[in-house]
Amino acid sequence: MMKRLLAVVSVVSVMTLMGHAGILDYDADPGSGYQFFFPGGANRIVLDDVNRVSFNAIKQINIQIFNNSGAPSSVDALVYSADPVSGLVGTLLSTTTFTGVPTGLVQLQIGTGPGFAAGIQNLWIGVRASAANVGMVLNPAGAPLLGTSQNRFAWDQNGDGSVGPTEYFNFSGGNPVANFAIEVLVPEPA
């Protein structure tokens, strides 16, 4: 009887953990083969469009960056909603600051918390770095593994701290996407 009770408790515990686990909602991380990165310039915003596969709340966002500045740098990870009509950069949803980001390839993890971006499917995600030679790593495969992207970038080229209507572009020759992975909260069973 005790063994059966322990087995039932174990199954219920696993089911509870599964109810709080995350699943991928967007994935443009090729795992290896990084060839280049996009340094937007010191204190200039660089964003890429992300079309998620669900409207679930986001648990965590991973962003791969490359710090080629020769010294630790500060990096702001930025998340914006996409404007529902134009698809351009909309409302700022989150800014997470990372200080002392070492040189080389680094993954930034944004733990966004319960309810973050629930109901929003299309986002703009990116960075603003304190040094000129720090930027988002691009996926050489050119397409997300899960979710979609229009391969469109927003870049604060004039350095005014925002993205204007003429500061959008596509890369020529392959249209790579930035290296992101979004993990969402799995809804609790009813």
Side-chain angles (χ1 to χ4, degrees):
M1 178 70 168
M2 184 63 148
K3 286 182 182 177
R4 226 178 303 171
L5 179 60
L6 287 174
V8 169
V9 169
S10 297
V11 169
V12 170
S13 296
V14 168
M15 288 173 59
T16 302
L17 287 174
M18 287 173 57
H20 292 287
I23 57 171
L24 279 177
D25 189 40
Y26 178 88
D27 186 10
D29 180 357
S32 63
Y34 305 113
Q35 297 173 350
F36 47 101
F37 69 109
F38 182 18
N43 299 310
R44 295 188 180 189
I45 298 169
V46 176
L47 305 167
D48 191 13
D49 69 299
V50 171
N51 304 316
R52 302 167 53 209
V53 297
S54 80
F55 291 93
N56 292 338
I58 295 173
K59 176 181 177 184
Q60 177 175 301
I61 299 173
N62 299 333
I63 302 174
Q64 286 281 358
I65 66 159
F66 187 70
N67 180 354
N68 197 34
S69 70
S73 299
S74 292
V75 177
D76 292 331
L78 308 165
V79 181
Y80 291 82
S81 64
D83 182 87
V85 176
S86 67
L88 301 179
V89 175
T91 305
L92 177 64
L93 301 175
S94 172
T95 302
T96 305
T97 301
F98 298 86
T99 57
V101 175
T103 57
L105 187 65
V106 179
Q107 183 180 76
L108 305 179
Q109 294 182 338
I110 306 168
T112 54
F116 181 78
I120 302 174
Q121 190 170 28
N122 300 329
L123 300 170
W124 287 86
I125 300 174
V127 298
R128 174 179 53 217
S130 62
N133 289 321
V134 179
M136 294 187 297
V137 172
L138 302 180
N139 175 347
L145 304 170
L146 179 65
T148 60
S149 174
Q150 296 177 38
N151 303 326
R152 197 164 186 205
F153 286 79
W155 176 26
D156 173 21
Q157 296 177 47
N158 64 12
D160 69 358
S162 65
V163 177
T166 61
E167 295 180 309
Y168 292 87
F169 70 96
N170 292 60
F171 279 107
S172 60
N175 292 333
V177 296
N179 182 299
F180 304 128
I182 300 175
E183 186 179 355
V184 296
L185 295 168
V186 175
E188 294 284 341

